[in-house]
Amino acid sequence: MIENSLKERVYSPYSDKSNEWCVVLGSSGMAYPGVRIENIAFPLTITSIHGALCSCLANGDRPAAYVTDSESLDLEEYWADKFNMEKLDGVPASATLYNPVLSGDINPEQELKKLTHQAVIPHSDFPVAALLKTDEGFVPGVNVEVESWTLGLCAERVALFRAVSHGLTGFSDLLVTAPKGDFSSPCGACRQVLMEWIPRGRIKLHHGDGSHSTHNTMDLLPYAFSSSKLTI
Ligand code: THU
């Protein structure tokens, strides 16, 4: 049962919301798992339903229903209403669990380029794609925009959310491209999230002119927000 493994993947060092998981079911029959992923900068927390929805949309799928046993999910009614999602008691046996790990021998640069076509960008027409290297392989992410701009997710965070929700570990490199940008570069919010997950990682940026540059996460966010007072 996927539900039981999801509880173990929740990342909630700053609260007691250690049970917050959700599975979004796409109209394709695919099930997209999500767990709460808190951040030391609380507003950057990705809630389970938010991330699972973005994971679904980033896969070109349409959210149709969701499953959770958490008492209430942040903005649950909002999301259910926006996407006309029905709440189910359990994940249907017919559903296929979405596996975000790219299989086979992939060429990361070509894969990044391909991925940009999956970006969900009705407002910006500005695609961003990310590949997070994990112990089991690369996990993709693209930017997802929804009606409320504040509730979209950057490509980097979609990739990270998928990896954590699938129980993957060993995050090392993150590759990012924003082909319409002059210089691809993760936003400040993503940098803060990356500091929490791959502070010793390498961020490889593929720029619009075909060049690339590699940076240490820590160099991208000197004086990152942090406090030992916030961990419980
Ligand atoms: N975007 C990302 O995906 N990653 C970043 O680090 C910066 C911005 C996306 C968000 C939005 O869909 C579009 O780029 C314009 O801000």
Side-chain angles (χ1 to χ4, degrees), residues 120-121 124 126-129 142-145 153-156 176 185-188 190:
V120 184
I121 44 176
S124 69
F126 186 88
V128 184
V142 291
N143 50 334
V144 176
E145 297 171 359
L153 264 192
C154 293
E156 296 89 327
V176 183
S185 174
C187 72
C190 283

Side-chain angles (χ1 to χ4, degrees), residues 171-230:
F171 308 156
S172 55
D173 302 27
L174 180 77
L175 283 63
V176 183
T177 192
K180 288 192 179 171
D182 313 310
F183 186 86
S184 303
S185 174
C187 72
C190 283
R191 292 177 192 208
Q192 183 75 46
V193 173
L194 294 173
M195 276 300 287
E196 189 125 1
W197 289 94
I198 47 170
R200 277 163 212 85
R202 285 168 301 278
I203 316 294
K204 187 172 179 190
L205 306 174
H206 295 260
H207 309 298
D209 65 359
S211 65
H212 55 81
S213 55
T214 303
H215 312 262
N216 296 319
T217 309
M218 282 190 193
D219 296 335
L220 290 184
L221 194 62
Y223 307 106
F225 177 70
S226 167
S227 172
S228 57
K229 295 278 184 293
L230 289 166

Side-chain angles (χ1 to χ4, degrees), residues 26-85:
S27 55
S28 68
M30 195 78 86
Y32 301 88
V35 297
R36 179 181 178 87
I37 302 178
E38 297 186 345
N39 189 276
I40 193 152
F42 290 1
L44 300 182
T45 292
I46 310 171
T47 67
S48 58
I49 189 166
H50 180 206
L53 263 164
C54 288
S55 174
C56 172
L57 293 166
N59 198 37
D61 208 346
R62 190 175 60 77
Y66 69 103
V67 178
T68 185
D69 71 359
S70 309
E71 242 167 60
S72 85
L73 303 172
D74 284 32
L75 300 180
E76 181 170 345
E77 273 176 39
Y78 172 84
W79 290 121
D81 187 54
K82 268 281 165 255
F83 288 96
N84 207 9
M85 288 192 297

